């Protein structure tokens, strides 16, 4: 009779049902117990399966039990067994073995599967998704090399390409999500790009074929391409690759592939490569990218050009290179035809990724765009007939309806978009009223203290490497800025800028200081992809890599405030009673042309006093994408929409608000994509775009506030050292 602790039997019964417990007790083990502490499977499960680990004997061993829901892939055991038998040497090194019995069907339609533990450890094996950037690239290179050199070595030695049309290829790859109006067509309907509407789309300045139209078979001529098939996982995303750690160091060559329910010996050999590449991109596209960066990344994936790299986050470049270059090297003998096969696989894979609800709407829209770009590249390389001409004029970007929270429709203004809940909070141990907070890449949170020291966390609160300060003479006020696309910060001292880059393995790079000559310079404390300085005569937009100038604008006389969008495409500069909005590639706006901004000191608003007193300053903010510009003066709060310069909100401040606006320290204004303003003044955070200036619940006295580049999170840092991250 099998011995099992009563609390373990209860957990299995409560979690999985009595029948699962009965099946386990029937396996003939003398002793059975849950692995304690309870093990939870790393990564994400997309099928609703329940996984847990057991310690059983004899013989003593640890196994993983997977209970799959009714309707989930029921042939996983059979597929796994075929994968183990297909190439035994590869299976021994890179797949997970199955004990006996391998699996069983339950009376309610569910099934139970038993697996050996990957690499013999539940503690020291992690999914590739959790790896650092350099580690992930090494693993990706090993996996792609293994797919061709090991797993498919025999298959490729005997392979004969199969000819197929583009439509047949895509139909076979997407059959389960396409037929009968499946989830793929549902998202196409949300985007407004259903195949019945048009064979052409317009995205990122280019006319492109509608990939949905291509799947449906509506493209004239339907080119024929050669396709290589062989052994394939079928769903090789980062959660399905496990990597061991030994002595805290990853062992890429010992990776294991799991969840083999989609394994086939007749898989398109571009599918696993494409899925791995797309999965690696998700962290960098799960928010709305600035248009120039988005276009550069899309083009770099489908038609790499070294010129694209300057506009792309370096870690995203690294992710693409690790997969694409390794695949190209492995398939060099079949180079050009395999390039086309991989592009077609990217079309299919990107469309499939638009159906994954675990990816944000912004991310799924990026993959829809990527499918169109890849389809265009396929047709450019395979089309033999007369050129099919796109329409001469497109009225708008075909994906204009998609995105996360912007652009805001012209008729919509949300004046009181308050924080929803605290995501996490921590005590930084930093009591410094000059410290600033910002969001780095991947929603990391960064605090820079008054001496230039940097502390960093993930958005979930895990600490990252930081550095001590080297600039004891930082200017007063907010004179540090956090980069949004690279792990970097810039700190301003009186005569130079200090840039710090954080790299792998807790390293820190410090380029030479950037001298600020010819007068007194100030750091514009907004931006993120780029940053800016001004000397009251000229505002200079700069690169985070080395502080080199990108663009320069003349400042209006009597400059009182300045701010810019995350990517620098919208720059606002203000005098006391008027705001100038520079829009890259479009005509600049001047708000005083419609209605001047009211601004005078409290209790000093007579015409005589205004004539003799200096003009008061104001607070200025630009939304991360540049959709809105907001200002708070000593008299009122105003918000303009940058698309056309239209004023969308104006409210006179209360007497209390006007008095609180006095003073220059501890003041900060930020603007959301919906146009809501958050105003930090005298340590209190309020929403001046709500009547009466609604106060935001906070802990302690605020010293700085920031909004993430996608507009989803807000960070509030207190003078007492408390850091809070809120969902917006």
């Amino acid at each position: 009779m099998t011995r099992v602790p009563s609390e373990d039997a209860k957990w299995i019964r409560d979690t999985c049902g009595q029948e699962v417990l009965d099946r386990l007790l029937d396996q003939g083990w003398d002793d059975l117990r849950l692995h304690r502490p309870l093990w939870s499977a790393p990564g994400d499960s997309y099928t609703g399966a329940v996984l847990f680990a057991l310690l059983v004997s004899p013989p003593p061993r640890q196994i993983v039990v997977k209970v799959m829901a009714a309707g989930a892939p029921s042939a996983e055991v059979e597929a796994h067994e075929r994968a183990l038998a297909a190439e035994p040497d590869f299976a021994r090194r890179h797949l997970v073995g199955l004990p006996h019995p391998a699996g069983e069907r339950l009376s309610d339609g569910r099934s139970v599967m038993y697996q050996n533990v990957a690499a013999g450890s539940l503690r020291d094996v992690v999914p590739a998704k959790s790896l650092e950037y350099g580690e992930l690239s090494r693993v990706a290179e090993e996996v792609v090399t293994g797919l061709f050199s090991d797993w498919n070595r025999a298959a490729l030695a005997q392979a004969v390409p199969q000819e197929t049309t583009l439509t047949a290829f895509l139909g076979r790859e997407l059959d389960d999500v396409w037929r009968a109006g499946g989830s793929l067509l549902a998202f196409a309907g949300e985007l407004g790009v259903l195949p019945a509407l048009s064979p052409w789309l317009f995205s990122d300045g280019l006319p492109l074929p509608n990939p949905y139209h291509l799947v449906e078979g509506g493209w004239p001529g339907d080119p024929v391409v050669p396709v290589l098939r062989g052994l394939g996982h079928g769903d090789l995303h980062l959660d399905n690759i496990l990597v061991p750690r030994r002595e805290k160091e990853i062992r890429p060559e010992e990776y294991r592939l799991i969840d083999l329910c989609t394994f086939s010996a007749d898989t398109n050999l571009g599918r696993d490569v494409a899925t791995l590449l797309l999965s690696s991109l998700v962290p960098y596209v799960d928010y709305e990218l600035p248009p120039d960066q988005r276009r550069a990344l899309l083009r770099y994936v489908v038609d790499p050009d070294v010129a694209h790299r300057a506009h792309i986050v370096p870690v995203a470049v690294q992710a693409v290179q690790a997969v694409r270059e390794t695949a190209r090297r492995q398939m060099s003998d079949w180079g050009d035809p395999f390039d086309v096969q991989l592009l077609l696989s990217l079309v299919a894979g990107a469309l499939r990724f638009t159906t994954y609800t675990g990816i944000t709407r912004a991310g799924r829209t990026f993959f829809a765009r990527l499918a169109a770009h890849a389809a265009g590249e396929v047709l450019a390389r395979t089309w033999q007939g007369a050129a099919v001409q796109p329409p001469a004029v497109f009225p708008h970007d075909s994906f204009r309806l998609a995105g996360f929270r912007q652009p805001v429709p012209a008729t919509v203004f949300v004046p009181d978009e308050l924080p929803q809940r605290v995501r996490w909070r921590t005590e930084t141990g930093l009591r410094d009223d000059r410290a600033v907070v910002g969001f780095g890449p991947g929603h990391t949170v960064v605090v820079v203290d008054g001496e230039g020291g940097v502390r960093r966390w993930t958005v979930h609160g895990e600490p990252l490497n930081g550095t001590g300060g080297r600039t004891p003479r930082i200017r007063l006020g907010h004179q540090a800025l956090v980069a949004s696309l690279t792990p970097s910060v810039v700190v301003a001292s009186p005569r130079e800028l200090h840039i710090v880059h954080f790299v792998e393995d807790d390293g820190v790079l410090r380029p030479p200081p950037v001298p600020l000559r010819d007068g007194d310079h100030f750091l514009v404390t907004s931006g993120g992809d780029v940053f800016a300085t001004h000397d009251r005569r000229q505002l200079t937009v700069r690169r985070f890599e080395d502080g080199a100038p990108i663009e320069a604008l003349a400042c209006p006389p009597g400059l009182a405030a300045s701010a810019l969008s995350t990517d620098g495409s919208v720059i606002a500069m203000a005098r006391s009673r008027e705001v100038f909005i520079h829009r890259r590639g479009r005509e600049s706006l001047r708000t005083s042309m419609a209605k001047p901004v009211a601004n005078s000191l409290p209790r000093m608003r007579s015409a005589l006093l205004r004539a003799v007193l200096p003009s008061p300053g104001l607070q200025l903010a630009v939304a991360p994408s540049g959709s809105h510009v907001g200002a708070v003066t000593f008299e009122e709060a105003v918000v303009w929409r940058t698309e056309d310069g239209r004023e969308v909100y104006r409210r006179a401040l209360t007497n209390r608000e006007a008095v609180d606006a006095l003073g220059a320290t501890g003041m900060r204004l930020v603007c959301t994509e919906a146009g809501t303003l958050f105003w930090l003044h005298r340590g209190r955070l309020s929403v001046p775009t709500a009547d009466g200036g609604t106060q935001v619940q906070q802990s302690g006295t605020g010293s700085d506030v920031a909004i993430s580049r996608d507009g989803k999170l807000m960070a509030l840092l207190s003078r007492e050292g408390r850091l809070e991250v809120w969902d917006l």
Side-chain angles (χ1 to χ4, degrees):
M1 182 174 178
T2 303
R3 297 188 302 272
V4 54
S6 59
E7 64 271 23
D8 291 354
K10 182 179 186 302
W11 185 94
I12 297 171
R13 185 186 303 110
D14 293 346
T15 305
C16 304
Q18 181 64 44
E19 188 175 4
V20 171
L21 178 60
D22 291 341
R23 294 297 179 94
L24 294 173
L25 296 176
D26 288 342
Q27 299 307 317
W29 295 307
D30 290 348
D31 188 80
L32 178 154
R33 59 189 65 240
L34 286 171
H35 191 285
R36 299 282 184 176
L38 284 176
W39 171 81
S40 59
D44 296 326
S45 173
Y46 299 105
T47 61
V50 177
L51 291 96
F52 57 94
L54 294 177
L55 301 177
V56 299
S57 59
R61 57 180 170 172
Q62 49 187 353
I63 65 170
V64 172
V65 180
K66 183 176 183 179
V67 182
M68 292 168 282
S74 58
E76 181 169 350
V77 173
E78 292 85 350
H80 199 127
E81 289 175 332
R82 290 196 305 273
L84 291 172
E87 190 64 45
D89 183 58
F90 179 88
R92 177 182 55 80
R93 290 182 291 117
H94 298 301
L95 302 183
V96 176
L98 300 178
H100 182 78
E104 300 173 295
R105 180 66 64 87
L106 302 179
S107 61
D108 58 4
R110 294 181 299 159
S111 54
V112 180
M113 182 177 182
Y114 308 96
Q115 300 179 15
N116 294 333
V117 171
S121 175
L122 296 170
R123 176 178 178 270
D124 296 328
V125 177
V126 296
K129 182 178 180 179
S130 68
L131 298 176
E132 296 293 331
Y133 307 128
E135 294 177 333
L136 180 56
S137 295
R138 290 164 57 199
V139 171
E141 291 171 2
E142 285 285 346
V143 170
V144 175
T145 299
L147 292 177
F148 296 111
S149 294
D150 294 335
W151 211 10
N152 279 284
R153 177 171 47 191
L156 284 171
Q158 304 296 323
V160 176
Q162 302 174 12
E163 290 195 337
T164 181
T165 65
L166 305 190
T167 296
F169 178 95
L170 295 173
R172 180 169 178 174
E173 290 291 297
L174 297 167
D175 179 63
D176 58 317
V177 291
W178 178 266
R179 63 175 178 265
S183 54
L184 184 58
L185 280 174
F187 190 67
E190 290 183 38
L191 294 176
V193 293
L194 284 167
L197 297 178
S198 172
W200 288 97
L201 301 175
F202 188 73
S203 173
D204 305 283
L206 297 172
L208 298 167
N210 186 336
Y212 301 93
H213 200 76
L214 211 60
V215 181
E216 196 174 61
W219 199 263
D222 204 1
V224 174
V225 294
V227 172
L228 292 174
R229 309 189 74 85
L231 306 178
H233 182 285
D235 190 24
L236 195 58
H237 57 73
L238 295 180
D239 280 318
N240 282 340
I241 303 171
L242 300 183
V243 188
R245 286 188 186 274
R246 299 286 186 271
E247 298 178 350
K248 307 302 181 183
E249 182 179 359
I250 64 160
R251 303 298 174 93
E253 69 282 358
E254 298 179 24
Y255 67 86
R256 295 291 193 276
L257 309 184
I258 61 171
D259 285 353
L260 288 152
C261 59
T262 51
F263 167 81
S264 171
D266 191 33
T267 297
N268 148 40
L269 287 182
R271 181 171 184 172
D272 285 347
V273 179
T275 303
L276 178 56
L277 191 157
L278 297 172
S279 179
S280 301
L281 286 178
V282 170
Y284 315 115
V285 303
D286 230 12
Y287 50 83
E288 190 71 15
L289 293 172
D292 57 339
Q293 295 172 19
R294 182 184 65 219
R295 176 188 166 113
L297 181 55
L298 289 165
R299 298 312 303 168
Y300 191 72
V301 171
V302 304
D303 186 23
D305 185 330
V306 68
H308 296 142
R309 296 183 195 171
H311 302 282
I312 307 173
V313 186
V315 290
V317 172
Q318 193 178 35
V320 176
Q321 287 179 323
V323 177
R324 283 212 61 157
E325 290 304 311
T326 307
R328 179 184 289 269
R329 189 165 56 249
Q330 290 296 316
M331 296 298 292
S332 58
D333 291 341
W334 187 243
D336 291 341
F338 187 76
D339 279 350
V340 173
Q341 182 174 346
L342 179 55
L343 284 166
L344 262 180
S345 301
L346 286 170
V347 176
L351 289 177
R352 184 175 291 276
F353 269 54
T354 68
T355 69
Y356 296 161
T357 56
I359 300 174
T360 66
R361 184 177 174 83
R364 286 182 286 154
T365 304
F366 175 89
F367 288 120
R369 290 180 185 270
L370 178 56
H373 280 265
E377 192 64 27
V378 168
L379 289 174
R381 300 189 188 194
T382 61
W383 185 254
Q384 300 295 324
V388 181
Q389 295 298 327
V393 177
F394 286 86
H396 46 65
D397 190 295
S398 300
F399 298 94
R400 71 196 188 284
L401 299 179
F404 57 106
R405 301 179 79 158
Q406 66 92 19
V408 177
T411 58
V412 174
F413 175 68
V414 184
D416 55 353
E417 182 188 38
L418 294 175
Q420 301 300 308
R421 66 182 180 89
V422 176
R423 172 76 66 93
W424 66 273
R425 59 167 55 93
T426 189
E427 297 293 335
T428 67
L430 184 68
R431 294 178 174 269
D432 187 342
D433 59 5
R434 294 192 301 167
V436 303
V437 65
F439 286 95
H443 280 166
T444 52
V445 187
V446 183
V447 172
V448 185
D449 64 32
E451 294 187 349
V454 183
R455 306 181 189 199
R456 303 164 62 234
W457 298 264
T458 70
V459 75
H460 304 295
E462 293 93 0
L464 300 171
N465 64 312
T467 184
R470 291 189 179 182
T471 357
R473 293 187 62 210
I474 294 181
R475 297 177 180 279
L476 293 177
H478 295 82
Q479 290 301 322
L481 184 63
V482 177
S484 55
L485 294 179
T486 58
S488 309
V489 300
V490 60
V491 177
S493 63
R495 294 290 179 181
E496 58 190 13
L497 299 172
H498 299 264
I499 301 174
V500 182
H501 302 297
F502 296 90
V503 295
E504 300 167 22
D505 302 323
D506 295 340
V508 175
L509 295 179
R510 297 178 182 268
V514 181
L516 299 175
R517 301 183 180 90
D518 303 324
D520 212 12
H521 285 251
F522 298 88
L523 182 68
V524 180
T525 51
S526 58
D529 303 355
V530 295
F531 71 96
T533 60
H534 74 81
D535 59 2
R536 298 191 186 277
R537 298 185 302 274
Q538 180 173 276
L539 183 145
T540 304
V541 181
R542 301 175 181 270
R543 299 192 315 177
F544 254 105
E545 288 83 355
D546 54 10
I550 300 172
E551 179 182 12
L553 300 173
C555 299
L559 179 68
S562 58
L564 67 154
S565 62
T566 302
D567 63 352
S569 62
V570 174
I571 299 172
M573 291 183 278
R575 301 169 65 181
S576 179
R577 296 181 179 88
E578 61 182 342
V579 177
F580 303 84
I581 302 174
H582 170 75
R583 305 176 298 172
R584 184 184 298 160
R586 292 181 291 170
E587 182 183 1
S588 297
L589 302 171
R590 185 173 177 178
T591 60
S592 60
M593 295 174 63
K595 183 179 179 182
V597 178
N599 190 16
S600 59
L601 298 175
R603 296 185 290 276
M604 296 182 182
R605 292 173 177 166
S606 70
L608 177 62
L609 288 174
R610 287 189 183 188
V612 299
L613 289 173
S615 297
L618 52 80
Q619 301 289 313
L620 196 62
V622 179
S625 73
S627 60
H628 291 81
V629 171
V632 173
T633 73
F634 288 101
E635 287 194 54
E636 60 186 3
V638 193
V639 180
W640 299 271
R641 190 178 60 230
T642 56
E643 179 64 28
D644 53 11
R646 177 171 168 254
E647 181 184 301
V648 294
Y649 184 85
R650 184 182 289 257
R651 178 182 70 85
L653 299 186
T654 64
N655 289 335
R656 175 60 184 271
E657 287 177 301
V659 171
D660 284 347
L662 292 169
T665 61
M667 306 287 279
R668 182 78 144 172
L669 186 71
V670 295
C671 181
T672 74
E673 294 299 343
T676 299
L677 298 180
F678 287 98
W679 184 25
L680 185 63
H681 52 102
R682 294 185 181 269
R684 292 193 296 272
L685 185 65
S686 68
V687 183
T689 42
D691 288 344
T694 300
Q695 295 290 312
V696 175
Q697 178 183 355
Q698 65 186 81
S699 300
T701 305
S703 65
D704 195 27
V705 63
I707 291 178
S708 61
R709 75 188 307 278
D710 62 3
K712 293 181 178 180
L713 299 175
M714 182 177 74
L716 179 62
L717 178 65
S718 76
R719 297 175 187 174
E720 296 80 14
R722 183 172 297 111
L723 175 62
E724 295 180 339
V725 175
W726 291 75
D727 287 306
L728 287 180

